[in-house]
Each structure stands twice: as structure tokens, then as C-alpha cells.
Amino acid sequence: MLPPMPTPPRSELRRKVLVGFGLIFAFLAVIAFVSFRSTSRYLLAARAMEKTRQALEVEERARRNLVELENLRLRYLVTPTEALLADYGVARDEVEELFKTLGRLVEPDSAQARALQELEEPRKQFFALQGAEMSARSEAGPVPVATLIDRPLTAELMRRIDAALTVFETAQNRLVRERAEDADRIAWQNHIVIITGTALTFIALWQAGVMILRDFAARRRAEEALANEHNLFSSIIDTMPDHVFVKDVKGRYILDNAAHRRYLGLTEDRVIEGTTEADHFPNDAADQFGEDDRKILETGQPILNREVPVTREGAIEKWLETTKVPLRDTDGTIVGLVGVSSDITERKNDEEKLKRFADQLERSNAELQNFANVASHDLQEPLRKIQAFGDRLRAKCADQLSEAGLDYLSRMENAAKRMQSLIQDLLKLSRLVTQAQPFEPCDLGKIMREVISDLVVVIEKLDAQIAVGPLPTVEGDPVQLWQLFQNLLHNAMKFQRPGERPEISIAGRLFEATANFIPGAQAGDRFVEIAVQDNGIGFEEKFAEQIFVIFQRLHSRDEYEGTGIGLAVCRKITDRHAGQIVARSSPGGGATFLVTLPVQHSSLQKT
């Protein structure tokens, strides 16, 4: 704490105020005068530069009009008409007016003025030559144009005019640069003066304030700052959910936050300063914590994110994730340590649950693989025997069976066929995981053509009409993408009203997705959307998700055959490709299946 300073007399304060504000007013007056003068010079330079640029624009227009004048003359010599003669007169008057304007815009006795003077004679000769040629043309009648044009003289005059205009333009450009540099220099000087004057004014103001207020405000500012810092620091650490504590070099607590006190079970009237771990933890835990603290204080090496179980009576009560770092003074000497502990018991429990779930999932996958093996061998073997003996019974004993017996035999054969279809579809569903292929570039147009070729018998039988638009190339499993489109096309042809011709259209479009368009998608990722639209019986919109559930059917087997697995396979394929499939339909209005697939996949998605 600083000792109190003697209060200066009132006359001394008055003198400081007068001197300080007098300096400030003097600086402001100088800044105002210099700013006014510099601004005036800058405006004059800006007007001069604008005049110079205007002269350049007039010179450019004069050049263009001279070319236009020459074009009008040549057109008149070829085809003499009154309209061309009138246009020539107007253009010539405009050229004369432009050169007069140039004379008014340039400074007398300048390089530009001398260039205009040198331009005067060839310009008059050029106009006179043009006038003579055009007069000769109007009087000579239909004669060859070449006999009316003095090409050497015309070329010489044009060269002299162009040279004079080039000299004028060069001088004007140089003048523009010089005046622009003058304007920039004036502006820079103005900025320097304003910045310097402003800085000096603020310095004087600051010095005056320091001289006036330092004597009786220093202590108050220091006390308020210290109180504010203490309150801010206390508020920050008390609002933190983690346990924060500070220890000295002897391992004694000197500071902690509310969360740490609650964790230790301390009441508001209990003081933690001066206590150690032995006062709050069991002996084993206290010894471990004390050993960690000694290593940090001796070596200066921190402990980062260490997970420590807290046990009571041999059982793990909680898990803590602790970070401890050495606390150093301004000289770099270790004067203690700072610790932050987080209660990660819930996270550890969740990790254990996830581990158990992963183990269960692994066992389920193994069971699924075993089921696939059983379905592909053990289940189909007795089924094949049922079908074989049914065929033998029909072939050898059909004459001996009654009408009811034949009906029972037909039902048995149909049930065996449905059972075989069901087993094969289940195998397809299980092989989506067990026999998945690595991703590679897949031409969707080529895959669609192969699907149509494989379904050609069904297509011809139903007289189906299929229109396929352009489809891009994406990364994916070609076998699964073939199965996806085969299922969708077969589905579109199956669910038709009797006697109606299936009409199916397939179209694709590329687009860039927004963030979270599909789980895992980033803004700017490229996707393709394939729409498969049919004119079938359709379905109610409320069943749009139900149709993708395995074994879910909206119609009986007597109406439409199938096992209810095809669309579930489609959903599983799009999920593996980090895409999605949705359905849009209405009863009697056909159905549209929208398949969205990423064009490229990350390395995590390709597994």
C-alpha cells in the first residue's frame, strides 16, 4: 500500500489547470489552421487534376472524331450523298469545338499549348484537303475515287496530327501524375500534422489529468482495481463446475473454488487454507496425491488429464480427471501448484456402457453371420428335399391323388417357394455387411443399363416403358448399387394395376449440400439425387417409412408377391453409402423414390 501523498494547495491546482488547458487550446488552434491551409491546397490541386483529366478526355474524343471525319470523307467519295455531306459538316464543327475546348483547358506556354499550336497548321491543311477532295467529287461525278485522293499528302498530315496529339497526351499524362503526387503529398502532410497535433493534444490532456488527479485518486484507483480483480477472479473460479485449487510449496491449500469445497463436503464456515490432502482424503489417496505434488514441485513437470479412481472401502466411488501445473512467480521460481479436477464418473460409466454395447453388437454380428451360414446350407437342405419329393409325388402319383390331395400338394409347393424366396432375401440382407466390397468410382448410367438388361424378360413381358436420363459417376460399392436399382425397378414394375402398362422414369441431378443436410455432411459437399418415378398404384403418405422396415407389406401375397425385404435392402445400402432414400406417393398417383448419394466419400465412410 502506498503512503498518502500531501494535498497540493488550491493555487497550484489552478495553475496546473490553466497551463494544461492553455496548451491544449494552442495545439487545437495550430491543428485547425494547418488543416484549413492544407485542405485549401488539396482542393486547388484536386481541381487542377480534374481539369487535366478533362483535357485528356477531350483529346481522346478529338482523336475519335478525326477518325470518324476521315471515315465520313471516304464514304462520301465512294457514295456522295447529301446526308453524308451534312454528317461530315457536323463532325468537323464538333472537332473544331473540341480543339477550342482543349485550348481553354491547358495552361499558356505549356508543352500542351505548344503541341496544340503545332497541330493548328496540319489540321487546317487536312481539313482543306478533305474539303477540296469532297468538292472535286461532287463536281466530277462518277469518276474513280483513287484519282481524287492525294495519299502521300494525306498520310503526312495524319502523321503530323497524330504526332502532335501524342505529344499533347504525353504531357497531359505527366501533368496528371505530377498533380496527383502533389495532392497525395499535401494529403499526407495534412495527415501527419493532424495526427501529430492530435497526439500532442492527447498527451497534454493526459499529462494535465495526471498532474491534477494523481495526488488524490491514485490510492482509490488501486484499491478499486484490487477489489475488482479479486471479485472477478473469485466469481470466475466459483462458477466453474470443475474443482479448482491452489497449493503452496509445502502442499497446503491456499485457495479453492465452491465446486472443490462441495466435493470435499465442507460447509461455508469451514476454512480450507492451511489444510492438506490428509485432512480430506483416505490415507492411500492422500499419499498418492502428495507424491504427485512433490514431483511437480521438484521437477516442474505438469500432470495432464490423469484419470484417477477414488475408492472407499475397496470400491470405486468416483472417477476424477486431474491436471496439475506448477505455479511460478515473476522470476520463474516455483511457489506452488494449481490443480483442476473434473468429475468424470458419468463419462466413465457411459464408456463402460458403450463397451458392453460394442461387445453385444459384435456378438450379434457373429450370430448374424452364423445365421447366414445356417440359412445358406442347413435351412435350404430340407427345403430342397421338400421341393424334390413334391415334384416326385406330382410326377408319379398325381393320378392317384384326389382333387383335395392335389390342392394340398400345390399349397405345399407354393409355401416351399415362398420359404426359399424368404431365405434368399434374408441372405441378401445379411451379405450387405458380410460381403461388402470397397468403394470405387461407379458409373450409375452404366449400372442402370446393366440392371435393365438383366430385367429385360420382365420388361418385355409387361411391355414396360423405362426412360433413363443422364446419371453421374459416384464412389460406392458397384454390386450394392446394382442391387439398389434392381430392387427399385422391380418394385416399380410389380405394383401396377392389372392390364396397365408400367411407365418408369429415372432422372438424376447434382447439387451442393448445406451443413447437416445428411448426418456427417459438410457445407459444400456434392451429392447426387436419383428420382425413380412410376405410374403404379401408389400408397398413402403415412406409410412412407413403414415400407422400408423388413417384412412390412402394404398388400397381401394374393395381390402382389414378395417377402417385404426388397426396400429394407435399399435402405441398408443407402445407409452404408452415407446417403438416404425416401418415398413420395399418393393412392392411385404412382410413387417416386428419391435416392441421395454423396459423390465422394471420406476414408471413414469407405469401410
Side-chain angles (χ1 to χ4, degrees):
M1 182 180 298
L2 296 176
M5 299 295 293
T7 304
R10 182 171 298 179
S11 59
E12 180 70 11
L13 291 176
R14 185 181 297 110
R15 186 182 65 82
K16 291 181 179 179
V17 171
L18 292 177
V19 171
F21 283 97
L23 288 174
I24 293 171
F25 290 143
F27 284 136
L28 292 176
V30 171
I31 293 172
F33 173 78
V34 174
S35 299
F36 175 79
R37 184 183 176 192
S38 299
T39 303
S40 300
R41 291 174 58 199
Y42 183 83
L43 291 176
L44 290 175
R47 284 196 288 269
M49 188 166 58
E50 180 61 25
K51 186 177 180 181
T52 305
R53 289 176 175 168
Q54 186 178 359
L56 281 173
E57 294 176 358
V58 173
E59 182 267 340
E60 181 64 22
R61 289 175 56 194
R63 278 182 182 269
R64 294 197 301 267
N65 285 11
L66 283 172
V67 175
E68 180 64 20
L69 201 63
E70 178 66 10
N71 291 335
L72 289 171
R73 177 182 71 88
L74 293 176
R75 291 170 59 189
Y76 181 82
L77 293 179
V78 175
T79 308
T81 62
E82 291 298 324
L84 289 175
L85 188 60
D87 292 341
Y88 176 85
V90 172
R92 179 170 176 176
D93 292 340
E94 186 175 355
V95 170
E96 290 290 348
E97 184 61 30
L98 290 174
F99 280 107
K100 290 179 182 179
T101 303
L102 283 177
R104 292 191 298 270
L105 291 175
V106 300
E107 299 292 335
D109 298 329
S110 63
Q112 297 92 314
R114 290 192 294 273
L116 291 178
Q117 290 176 358
E118 293 177 2
L119 181 63
E120 188 70 17
E121 181 182 351
R123 179 167 54 85
K124 291 181 178 179
Q125 292 180 5
F126 184 74
F127 288 163
L129 179 62
Q130 286 186 334
E133 291 174 349
M134 296 177 71
S135 298
R137 181 68 178 91
S138 62
E139 295 173 359
V143 297
V145 175
T147 61
L148 302 176
I149 300 176
D150 188 351
R151 295 185 182 276
L153 181 57
T154 300
E156 176 61 19
L157 291 176
M158 287 295 292
R159 185 192 65 76
R160 291 174 61 189
I161 292 172
D162 185 74
L165 288 176
T166 301
V167 171
F168 176 89
E169 183 177 356
T170 303
Q172 283 295 101
N173 286 327
R174 183 170 60 255
L175 186 59
V176 167
R177 290 194 297 272
E178 292 173 355
R179 289 177 172 173
E181 292 172 358
D182 289 341
D184 292 340
R185 184 168 56 257
I186 293 170
W188 177 248
Q189 292 173 353
N190 190 25
H191 290 163
I192 292 297
V193 171
I194 292 175
I195 292 172
T196 304
T198 302
L200 292 174
T201 301
F202 277 110
I203 291 173
L205 181 61
W206 173 79
Q207 187 63 33
V210 169
M211 290 187 299
I212 295 169
L213 301 175
R214 181 183 56 188
D215 297 331
F216 56 88
R219 177 181 296 178
R220 179 170 53 84
R221 289 198 303 269
E223 291 176 351
E224 290 179 354
L226 184 60
N228 290 335
E229 289 178 2
H230 182 271
N231 293 334
L232 178 61
F233 180 72
S234 298
S235 299
I236 290 175
I237 66 170
D238 280 340
T239 55
M240 294 177 62
D242 296 337
H243 313 153
V244 181
F245 53 89
V246 182
K247 297 180 180 179
D248 59 16
V249 291
K250 294 184 178 180
R252 296 174 301 194
Y253 288 108
I254 59 177
L255 180 69
D256 72 340
N257 67 343
H260 186 251
R261 289 192 294 273
R262 287 194 300 269
Y263 168 69
L264 296 179
L266 300 180
T267 59
E268 293 294 334
D269 57 345
R270 288 285 301 277
V271 177
I272 195 173
E273 288 81 359
T275 62
T276 64
E277 287 95 344
D279 299 319
H280 305 286
F281 294 97
N283 293 335
D284 294 343
D287 293 341
Q288 179 63 47
F289 295 156
E291 182 64 25
D292 293 340
D293 294 347
R294 283 191 294 272
K295 289 181 180 179
I296 294 172
L297 295 173
E298 292 174 0
T299 65
Q301 297 296 323
I303 295 175
L304 303 176
N305 301 325
R306 172 182 288 179
E307 296 181 358
V308 179
V310 179
T311 61
R312 288 187 185 273
E313 298 179 358
I316 297 178
E317 180 184 49
K318 287 186 178 181
W319 281 88
L320 295 179
E321 185 178 71
T322 303
T323 294
K324 295 181 180 180
V325 297
L327 179 64
R328 302 177 186 270
D329 60 12
T330 55
D331 297 329
T333 303
I334 296 177
V335 295
L337 61 86
V338 178
V340 179
S341 295
S342 302
D343 188 344
I344 60 171
T345 305
E346 184 176 354
R347 192 188 79 186
K348 296 294 289 186
N349 292 337
D350 292 339
E351 290 177 355
E352 184 63 26
K353 291 178 182 177
L354 287 175
K355 182 180 179 181
R356 291 197 298 269
F357 179 76
D359 293 340
Q360 292 175 359
L361 185 60
E362 186 175 357
R363 288 194 298 270
S364 297
N365 289 335
E367 291 173 359
L368 180 61
Q369 181 64 38
N370 292 333
F371 167 77
N373 294 331
V374 170
S376 61
H377 298 289
D378 299 345
L379 289 181
Q380 292 198 66
E381 179 60 26
L383 185 62
R384 283 192 292 268
K385 289 183 178 180
I386 292 174
Q387 291 175 325
F389 284 115
D391 292 339
R392 292 181 184 180
L393 183 62
R394 181 177 295 276
K396 296 182 178 182
C397 304
D399 296 337
Q400 303 173 18
L401 294 176
S402 64
E403 184 176 349
L406 291 174
D407 180 58
Y408 296 155
L409 179 60
S410 297
R411 292 186 181 187
M412 181 189 70
E413 291 174 336
N414 291 335
K417 290 180 180 179
R418 287 198 303 271
M419 184 63 181
Q420 187 177 37
S421 298
L422 183 62
I423 293 174
Q424 290 173 351
D425 287 345
L426 286 173
L427 283 173
K428 290 179 182 179
L429 187 63
S430 65
R431 286 167 183 167
L432 291 179
V433 176
T434 59
Q435 297 183 7
Q437 300 297 317
F439 284 4
E440 62 183 58
C442 300
D443 185 347
L444 296 183
K446 179 181 178 182
I447 292 176
M448 189 64 71
R449 290 192 294 272
E450 293 175 353
V451 170
I452 293 175
S453 176
D454 293 340
L455 295 175
V456 65
V457 175
V458 179
I459 294 172
E460 291 178 353
K461 178 181 178 181
L462 299 176
D463 191 23
Q465 180 179 353
I466 301 176
V468 182
L471 298 177
T473 297
V474 301
E475 285 189 352
D477 184 332
V479 175
Q480 291 187 359
L481 292 178
W482 177 92
Q483 189 172 5
L484 169 68
F485 293 126
Q486 197 267 354
N487 287 356
L488 290 177
L489 281 183
H490 189 272
N491 199 71
M493 290 187 292
K494 179 171 66 174
F495 292 102
Q496 292 286 335
R497 284 179 289 269
E500 186 169 344
R501 177 186 184 183
E503 294 179 1
I504 304 168
S505 65
I506 303 164
R509 70 178 183 93
L510 291 169
F511 65 95
E512 289 188 358
T514 58
N516 298 323
F517 166 73
I518 289 178
Q522 302 294 325
D525 288 351
R526 300 181 70 230
F527 281 80
V528 59
E529 181 184 77
I530 301 106
V532 180
Q533 185 176 6
D534 61 55
N535 63 335
I537 60 174
F539 54 85
E540 294 185 15
E541 195 73 23
K542 64 181 180 179
F543 299 118
E545 279 298 314
Q546 179 180 335
I547 60 175
F548 294 105
V549 179
I550 187 170
F551 298 134
Q552 292 296 317
R553 298 172 52 90
L554 303 184
H555 306 278
S556 66
R557 292 187 181 89
D558 295 335
E559 295 177 290
Y560 298 97
E561 62 180 9
T563 59
I565 296 179
L567 291 180
V569 170
C570 293
R571 171 64 63 84
K572 198 169 185 66
I573 292 174
T574 55
D575 288 345
R576 186 194 173 222
H577 285 73
Q580 67 178 11
I581 179 171
V582 296
R584 301 286 183 266
S585 182
S586 61
T592 301
F593 288 85
L594 300 175
V595 178
T596 304
L597 301 171
V599 176
Q600 291 182 328
H601 295 263
S602 66
S603 58
L604 293 177
Q605 292 172 323
K606 293 180 181 181
T607 58

